[in-house]
Amino acid sequence: APSIHLSPAARSLFDEPLAIAVQGLGPRQQVTLRASLRDETGELFQATARYQAGSDGELDLSRCPALPGGSFSGLEPMGLLWALQPQRPFWRLVKRDVLSPFVLQLEVLEGHTEPPGRLLARAQHERAFLRDGVRRVPVRDGRIRATLFLPPGEDTFPGIIDIHGFGGGLFEYRASLLANHGFATLALAYYKYEDLPQKLTELHLEYFEEAVNYMLQHPQVKGPGVGLLGYSKGGEVSLAMAAFLKNITAVAALNSPVAVTSIPLCYKDKTIPSLTIYEQRIKVIDSNILDCSDIPTDAFQAPGNQSLIPIEKAEAQLLFIVGQDDHVVKSEYYATEICKLLQAQGKENFQILSYPGTGHCIEPPFFPLYPIGNHPVFHKQAVLGGELRAYSKAQVHAWPQIQVFFKKYLNDK
């Protein structure tokens, strides 16, 4: 009878590759493989791929290309994971509880028909977010609302603060995955969580400064500085922290504005106003989906513009990770222009990783593409951008680059 063989067999970390093979098929037998996963709300994500077994009845996804007609084609050993798509339109795969794994179902079905034929084999696999021994520590310290993830052992570790976008709340999945790789990582909420403000009228860097001080006072965080990993609005905040605060050693900014957007940013007696937004430039594409890529003022062209973050003041190393198909922030343009400014001032503390076919969402590896989602400012469905295969390649490439960047600059001192 056909059987599915997985390596690792029962459980792997979400950002690790999973080797998938099928044995016991007939010579050159045609089958459809289907992967299914339910998120914590019960929503179903699925991907299918069509394959033909070898003359020995074996099918190894690392050597056998998928045939046209499924969710993807070509030699894509992890395609069944990165091609997962929600049955409910515009739904995003998010992990709220990192202590429990996602459960992946894999099925082998007969033939290439639609729907596929009878079930030949089935397997189940857990995709986990915490390696054994990684500790999850809720942090309620002063005003800070966060979760600290500590790698196993009593050593000191390079410290990173992970700051998410303008949606609010506390997201732990990226911080937990980073802790598996040897970083003490603080997932930091800054609004819409517990007793933090439900709505933001301005952002105060003093709150984030408290988080930096908390990390540097922690006995297991290796000083003298910390790293910041910021996505979208979180990247904007991270760049501002590097410009105004001490002890920021390295910043990785994922699709981040380099000017203050949506709400003013304050630190001590200074306020940076937010960029002007022209709502009349919103394009509406099929069935009421917004394209907001052209609505902000160009921070580099507006004369006397006060909204640019003074990144030239930052002493930290800067890594800009940008999707060339980002429809929320002109992130590639912003990163390129700010680096030209830094270069003109004789600075060399920056690098850009730029990914074609990649939209606003850049996640750790194997998270499904999220090309259309809720716009954080207008609260309507909007184009975020991205194309399935290119996006999956970008995630797999960017994630180890982020770790190399932090290991280099947070361990050097």
Side-chain angles (χ1 to χ4, degrees):
S3 58
I4 299 171
H5 292 257
L6 304 173
S7 179
R11 186 181 179 101
S12 55
L13 291 171
F14 195 91
D15 60 347
E16 285 180 344
L18 174 65
I20 303 170
V22 183
Q23 295 173 351
L25 297 169
R28 310 241 168 249
Q29 184 174 354
Q30 292 192 333
V31 290
T32 299
L33 268 58
R34 181 165 65 200
S36 312
L37 177 155
R38 286 194 185 274
D39 72 5
E40 289 154 325
T41 67
E43 291 296 336
L44 180 65
F45 288 73
Q46 278 193 329
T48 61
R50 295 176 174 181
Y51 286 98
Q52 183 171 332
S55 51
D56 56 359
E58 301 238 331
L59 172 59
D60 181 342
L61 270 55
S62 68
R63 295 202 300 268
C64 190
L67 305 171
S71 305
F72 60 92
S73 60
L75 187 63
E76 296 290 351
M78 287 294 285
L80 284 167
L81 283 88
W82 57 249
L84 286 166
Q85 285 298 291
Q87 303 297 291
R88 177 176 172 177
F90 316 134
W91 195 252
R92 183 178 184 180
L93 184 66
V94 174
K95 192 73 178 95
R96 297 279 177 192
D97 173 15
V98 297
L99 297 173
S100 68
F102 276 133
V103 179
L104 183 72
Q105 305 281 353
L106 290 163
E107 296 167 309
V108 183
L109 303 148
E110 203 169 45
H112 289 169
T113 53
E114 192 55 58
R118 69 191 174 96
L119 179 69
L120 301 175
R122 175 185 279 148
Q124 188 169 295
H125 186 83
E126 292 185 345
R127 297 286 279 169
F129 286 78
L130 287 181
R131 192 186 291 289
D132 286 348
V134 172
R135 285 156 295 159
R136 177 186 176 275
V137 185
V139 177
R140 305 291 178 270
D141 188 89
R143 291 181 299 170
I144 303 169
R145 302 293 173 262
T147 305
L148 178 63
F149 292 92
L150 291 167
E154 298 306 312
D155 294 347
T156 59
F157 305 100
I160 296 172
I161 301 175
D162 181 18
I163 308 174
H164 272 262
F166 201 45
L170 179 63
F171 292 95
E172 299 182 358
Y173 61 90
R174 197 168 58 197
S176 68
L177 290 172
L178 269 178
N180 297 329
H181 295 281
F183 298 97
T185 313
L186 187 76
L188 181 66
Y190 54 99
Y191 85 113
K192 262 197 201 165
Y193 183 71
E194 293 187 357
D195 56 352
L196 293 173
Q198 285 303 301
K199 200 169 185 313
L200 287 177
T201 49
E202 50 190 26
L203 257 185
H204 291 268
L205 277 187
E206 283 85 352
Y207 174 78
F208 299 91
E209 191 170 33
E210 259 185 66
V212 173
N213 294 336
Y214 169 82
M215 286 295 274
L216 290 175
Q217 287 159 13
H218 195 284
Q220 283 195 265
V221 173
K222 182 187 287 188
V226 296
L228 306 175
L229 174 59
Y231 159 66
S232 190
K233 183 75 176 179
E236 173 194 316
V237 169
S238 299
L239 293 168
M241 290 167 75
F244 290 105
L245 308 182
K246 293 193 213 37
N247 301 318
I248 309 296
T249 306
V251 177
L254 298 157
N255 282 337
S256 304
V258 297
V260 171
T261 58
S262 307
I263 48 167
L265 184 90
C266 312
Y267 183 59
K268 295 185 174 164
D269 53 356
K270 185 169 178 60
T271 297
I272 303 180
S274 61
L275 274 182
T276 308
I277 281 184
Y278 297 101
E279 289 192 30
Q280 65 270 27
R281 293 188 195 161
I282 296 175
K283 299 188 196 78
V284 180
I285 52 178
D286 50 47
S287 69
N288 220 9
I289 292 166
L290 309 181
D291 185 338
C292 303
S293 44
D294 290 325
I295 61 170
T297 315
D298 184 333
F300 293 95
Q301 301 299 328
N305 173 44
Q306 301 294 302
S307 300
L308 264 183
I309 297 164
I311 297 173
E312 67 281 357
K313 290 184 181 173
E315 289 176 11
Q317 291 292 325
L318 307 172
L319 173 63
F320 295 94
I321 297 173
V322 299
Q324 293 176 15
D325 192 36
D326 185 347
H327 283 251
V328 178
V329 175
K330 283 193 157 60
S331 44
E332 187 187 32
Y333 169 72
Y334 272 161
T336 308
E337 290 301 307
I338 205 75
C339 290
K340 279 186 203 162
L341 278 183
L342 293 171
Q343 204 163 13
Q345 299 190 14
K347 291 191 164 257
E348 295 176 346
N349 60 331
F350 57 86
Q351 50 187 303
I352 300 176
L353 288 175
S354 185
Y355 295 103
T358 300
H360 188 60
C361 270
I362 298 180
E363 297 273 34
F366 316 124
F367 269 92
L369 175 65
Y370 182 55
I372 294 172
N374 190 40
H375 194 283
V377 177
F378 302 111
H379 307 295
K380 291 185 174 155
Q381 296 299 340
V383 179
L384 307 178
E387 177 266 309
L388 187 59
R389 186 182 304 246
Y391 163 81
S392 74
K393 299 263 185 285
Q395 295 191 135
V396 168
H397 186 267
W399 187 237
Q401 298 293 320
I402 291 169
Q403 294 163 45
V404 165
F405 170 74
F406 282 129
K407 281 192 173 123
K408 179 176 178 181
Y409 292 111
L410 296 179
N411 279 326
D412 255 11
K413 297 286 180 286

